[in-house]
Amino acid sequence: MKKTSTRLADGRELIYYDQRDDSVRDAVDKRPLDRTVTTSEVRRDPLLGDSIAVASHRQGRTYHPPADECPLCPSQGDRLSEIPDSSYDVVVFENRFPSLAGDSGRCEVVCFTSDHNASFADLTEEQARLVLDAWTDRTSELSHLPSVEQVFCFENRGAEIGVTLGHPHGQIYAYPFTTPRTALMLRSVAAHKEATGGENLFDAVLERELADERVVLEGDHWVAFVPYAAHWPYEVHLYPKRRVPDLLALDEDARTEFPKVYLELLRRFDRIFGEGEPPTPYISAWHQAPFGALEEFEGVHRDDFGLHLELFTIRRTSGKLKFLAGSESGMNVFINDIRPEAAAQRLREVASS
């Protein structure tokens, strides 16, 4: 992998990740852009104990542009985009309309391919590995920023999810705090560790799932399963078999196998609802250990956390979405329309082979 860092016309950082070591990236952003001004701030809820970001400047962000005006395609002739070069493999750049900025963290966009009409599932294994390497590199770099405590790499796919740009891309949020969902996991890890005399909860969960009927696919180094208490109609968790706290700690064997397993999983997601159906909307989310202090989680260390990816769709059946209504939105109690065992069986049936 070759990494080339440059700056856009308004001062934001852009990084090319190339498969070829001889790639030259010297294109200049010729757009007449003013310096980016953001109004992000983080506010803490005293009752719930969590934090929210206020980012009113995002109201003016780009919204469903036509394909020939996509800001994530490479620049061509007089059509100038966020990527100055006329081609690219993988690109990461600072979001022009970030939810988090400055002392409140950082937001980046990850463009998986220059092909506007592709999806992550269309990538080759080599391309998917390059994305993994980019995620890993950005996790490392962002973790060293003084305001950052947790790095979150994710992809939103589909208009139903709320995606405003159709080009295949994901995002990275670098939070100035440990997120509420991760804090819940760490509290459970701490409680389990104390109750069992030191047993790791992530190891226990993985052992249980490997022995049950919800495994979707399994390799030498990764296993994908529908969790026992799945929140979403179709939800799969992808775990490395050797517990590690973050992407940085994956060994080469796991990195090599990941593209094959993950691409197969994404392709199965697009087959859930049958031929002729539109692409399945989904959220794909990496869960990594925080880089900040863990004193509030008594007896827990970073190495106690288990890196994993959670992939889920809000579509519950053909043409119908799972809405987060009263119980889910009001009380955070999910009601699943599909038995996890049935979801796992369906995902095994639609194997791409």
Side-chain angles (χ1 to χ4, degrees):
M1 178 187 77
K2 181 180 181 182
K3 175 183 175 183
T4 306
S5 179
T6 185
R7 293 281 171 179
L8 297 173
D10 56 6
R12 288 175 294 131
E13 185 179 18
L14 179 143
I15 306 161
Y16 294 97
Y17 292 91
D18 286 292
Q19 293 177 341
R20 293 173 55 96
D21 291 337
D22 59 354
S23 298
V24 177
R25 300 297 185 184
D26 55 6
V28 176
D29 185 5
K30 299 178 181 178
R31 296 173 298 170
L33 298 179
D34 295 328
R35 303 289 291 189
T36 300
V37 177
T38 63
T39 56
S40 298
E41 63 173 307
V42 172
R43 297 185 180 184
R44 187 167 179 81
D45 187 316
L47 291 178
L48 297 180
D50 59 8
S51 298
I52 64 104
V54 179
S56 57
H57 62 277
R58 284 172 51 80
Q59 288 282 36
R61 65 188 185 273
T62 307
Y63 188 81
H64 292 299
D68 60 356
E69 296 179 15
C70 175
L72 306 185
C73 289
S75 294
Q76 298 287 342
D78 294 332
R79 190 181 67 78
L80 305 179
S81 73
E82 289 280 67
I83 296 91
D85 215 322
S86 59
S87 67
Y88 64 84
D89 291 342
V90 173
V91 164
V92 177
F93 61 87
E94 288 184 75
N95 198 323
R96 191 177 179 187
F97 304 97
S99 301
L100 306 164
D103 292 339
S104 297
R106 174 158 158 152
C107 292
E108 299 182 339
V109 177
V110 184
C111 298
F112 303 138
T113 171
S114 60
D115 184 352
H116 180 85
N117 297 312
S119 69
F120 201 116
D122 296 321
L123 301 183
T124 65
E125 291 185 20
E126 291 75 19
Q127 289 174 307
R129 170 60 190 263
L130 185 61
V131 175
L132 175 63
D133 290 341
W135 283 331
T136 304
D137 180 72
R138 296 316 301 153
T139 296
S140 176
E141 293 292 327
L142 293 170
S143 71
H144 289 96
L145 296 180
S147 64
V148 172
E149 287 197 14
Q150 187 170 359
V151 179
F152 176 46
C153 307
F154 65 100
E155 180 193 2
N156 298 328
R157 202 277 284 268
E160 300 95 328
I161 297 294
V163 176
T164 57
L165 298 176
H167 195 103
H169 72 288
Q171 300 181 66
I172 302 175
Y173 277 21
Y175 296 102
F177 50 80
T178 296
T179 62
R181 189 173 177 85
T182 303
L184 285 174
M185 293 183 196
L186 290 169
R187 292 189 188 103
S188 296
V189 168
H192 185 84
K193 190 174 185 178
E194 181 178 6
T196 60
E199 181 182 74
N200 183 271
L201 180 57
F202 285 100
D203 292 347
V205 167
L206 185 56
E207 181 180 0
R208 174 183 179 178
E209 295 293 353
L210 280 168
D212 220 314
E213 58 181 310
R214 290 176 301 275
V215 171
V216 174
L217 61 91
E218 183 177 355
D220 293 332
H221 305 283
W222 294 86
V223 60
F225 57 88
V226 177
Y228 172 75
H231 288 55
W232 299 93
Y234 290 93
E235 175 182 342
V236 176
H237 293 189
L238 180 61
Y239 274 56
K241 290 185 176 180
R242 182 180 69 88
R243 173 169 46 87
V244 294
D246 52 37
L247 291 167
L248 303 173
L250 287 173
D251 61 26
E252 184 57 31
D253 287 338
R255 293 181 184 281
T256 299
E257 186 181 75
F258 170 79
K260 181 178 180 179
V261 174
Y262 185 51
L263 290 172
E264 171 64 17
L265 195 56
L266 292 180
R267 290 161 187 167
R268 292 191 191 192
F269 252 61
D270 275 341
R271 292 179 170 86
I272 292 173
F273 303 105
E275 296 296 329
E277 288 290 320
T280 301
Y282 65 72
I283 292 175
S284 178
W286 281 109
H287 291 265
Q288 305 191 78
F291 290 95
L294 300 179
E295 284 85 356
E296 64 177 292
F297 311 105
E298 189 173 350
V300 174
H301 308 285
R302 284 197 82 246
D303 288 346
D304 291 322
F305 192 86
L307 168 76
H308 63 285
L309 182 142
E310 298 184 8
L311 173 68
F312 61 90
T313 179
I314 62 171
R315 186 180 292 165
R316 57 187 175 88
T317 189
S318 179
K320 297 180 180 178
L321 301 180
K322 166 67 178 177
F323 291 102
L324 300 189
S327 185
E328 292 89 354
S329 294
M331 296 303 289
N332 200 28
V333 177
F334 276 66
I335 301 169
N336 197 343
D337 303 285
I338 298 175
R339 292 187 75 248
E341 292 76 15
Q345 176 61 31
R346 178 57 181 162
L347 285 162
R348 288 194 295 267
E349 292 172 351
V350 295
S352 62
S353 57

